[in-house]
Amino acid sequence: MTTVEINFDGLIGPTHNYAGLSLGNVASAANAGEVSSPRAAALQGLAKMKQLMDRGLPQGVLPPQERPYVPVLRMLGFDGSDAAVCAAAFAADPALFRNAFAASSMWTANAATVSPKPDTADGRVHLTVANLASMAHRSLEPPETEQWLRLAFGAEQHFCVHSALRFGVHFGDEGAANHMRLAPAHGATGVEVFVYGEDKGGRFPARQKRRASEAIARLHGLDMKRTLFVAQSDAAIQAGAFHNDVVAVANEHVLFTHEHAFEDKAKFYNALEDALPGVLIVEVPSAEVGLEDAIRSYLFNSQLITLPNGDMALVMPQECRDNIRVWDYVQRLLDKNTPIREAIVIDVRESMRNGGGPACLRLRVQVDEAAMAAIDSRFLLDERKWEALNRVVETHWPERITPGDIGNAALWEQAWAARRALLAEMGLA
Ligand code: SUG
């Protein structure tokens, strides 16, 4: 049975804005207070999905979450109509309100951690919803994420969805962004690598806790002989790599990584070579691409994908082409004799300015044919649905949001109506 990877992209929501909410995410901080373009952002995300569909890859989509998020504001004691709740919350605590307004559920690499069938004890695909405990705005995402994942992957003979881990930041978990799976092929037994951070007193926090990763490995029934727990380098975290997927990405037997991604890379590489003979580690030396260029361009936040002809491609942001050192490196890489044969350059600039590159915008789920057929088709894209989603975005998404607009009641109504129109189009109302 052939196994394929489906990327479930988060559709960028109508409240996409630059509020500077993520400590340690240098793009989010640098662009705080800028004017955002939610409509252009969502169309860029949809164009990325289409580019991969046109290359013959299956594509999924997850809807944006309800923002402003009224239920959570009600739980804090604000009451009245939805608009009255928002007005009271905005007046009492604008910073709180900005957290309840964030469109951050677009970055579905942080929605869950996924282990495919060949790796799990019960032979099902396991998904654990990420608790996103370390950032206030992102900690609001798990309940709705869980709701969508239970719907999309409700077929229990193939899938098992676990709720987000409890214990808050003590078990801080940011999902697939800190997890890599390597295997001879998608359908073969693989090695799962969980990357965690350790707080060493630096200015930026480590978001993923080792004990969270260990709990997920237990829940998924992984074989400990094929499971590695690896510390992220503090240098990378302090340079702005708030998730491992900002400095490393894996696909099948290839690991594409920056030289300074891991705290003890020799130990990690040895363990990986032992667990997966035949692994190919493509390491980018600092002398060719420094950490700062890597983080600014998001070279490693490319989607490393297998094309239908078996070649691999890096789906990278335009920012990689704009950076001479990075682009020169990419040309040299493509000339080397590795499976990575192509660079597909895409424009997700609106998301990038909040520190979300191509790989942040997608959750990869590897499935055999039977599991694929069991996925709720409302979450899968075809050409017709893709066009319909574009029309909804063009009709309903705000063109721009300035910091001053966030307290504007008309914008809240527009955001809720936009989401309702989208859910109706997807059959999820
Ligand atoms: O969690 N940015 C997100 C970006 C997530 C990127 N995901 C991966 N690397 N997989 C974050 O820091 C910024 C929102 C704001 O500032 O308005 C934000 O949440």
Side-chain angles (χ1 to χ4, degrees), residues 154-195:
E156 287 182 2
Q157 65 277 37
H158 297 289
F159 301 103
C160 178
V161 176
H162 304 271
S163 302
L165 302 177
R166 305 290 293 271
F167 292 109
V169 288
H170 305 287
F171 276 68
D173 169 32
E174 305 266 323
N178 295 309
H179 173 255
M180 300 185 288
R181 174 176 195 266
L182 292 114
H186 289 323
T189 304
V191 175
E192 298 206 10
V193 180
F194 290 85
V195 186

Side-chain angles (χ1 to χ4, degrees), residues 19-22 25 28 107 110 137-138 177 207 243 245 354-355 360:
L21 299 174
S22 276
N25 172 339
S28 153
W107 298 297
N110 308 117
H137 65 299
R138 303 222 60 185
R207 295 199 201 177
H243 291 136
D245 71 359
N354 253 337
C360 301

Side-chain angles (χ1 to χ4, degrees), residues 229-289:
F229 299 98
V230 181
Q232 203 186 353
S233 90
D234 197 50
I237 296 174
Q238 298 313 323
F242 53 95
H243 291 136
N244 176 64
D245 71 359
V246 175
V247 279
V249 59
N251 182 55
E252 294 187 324
H253 67 294
V254 177
L255 170 67
F256 180 57
T257 178
H258 190 271
E259 177 187 359
H260 295 311
F262 307 102
E263 196 63 36
D264 186 347
K265 70 166 183 180
K267 188 170 156 212
F268 169 43
Y269 293 175
N270 284 335
L272 185 57
E273 279 158 356
D274 282 349
L276 188 73
V279 66
L280 174 67
I281 300 174
V282 180
E283 185 191 86
V284 183
S286 248
E288 295 190 53
V289 177

Side-chain angles (χ1 to χ4, degrees), residues 289-313:
V289 177
L291 264 181
E292 197 189 318
D293 280 325
I295 290 167
R296 188 168 303 182
S297 67
Y298 262 39
L299 171 63
F300 298 95
N301 203 257
S302 299
Q303 287 176 244
L304 182 55
I305 55 168
T306 306
L307 297 167
N309 70 4
D311 287 348
M312 291 191 195

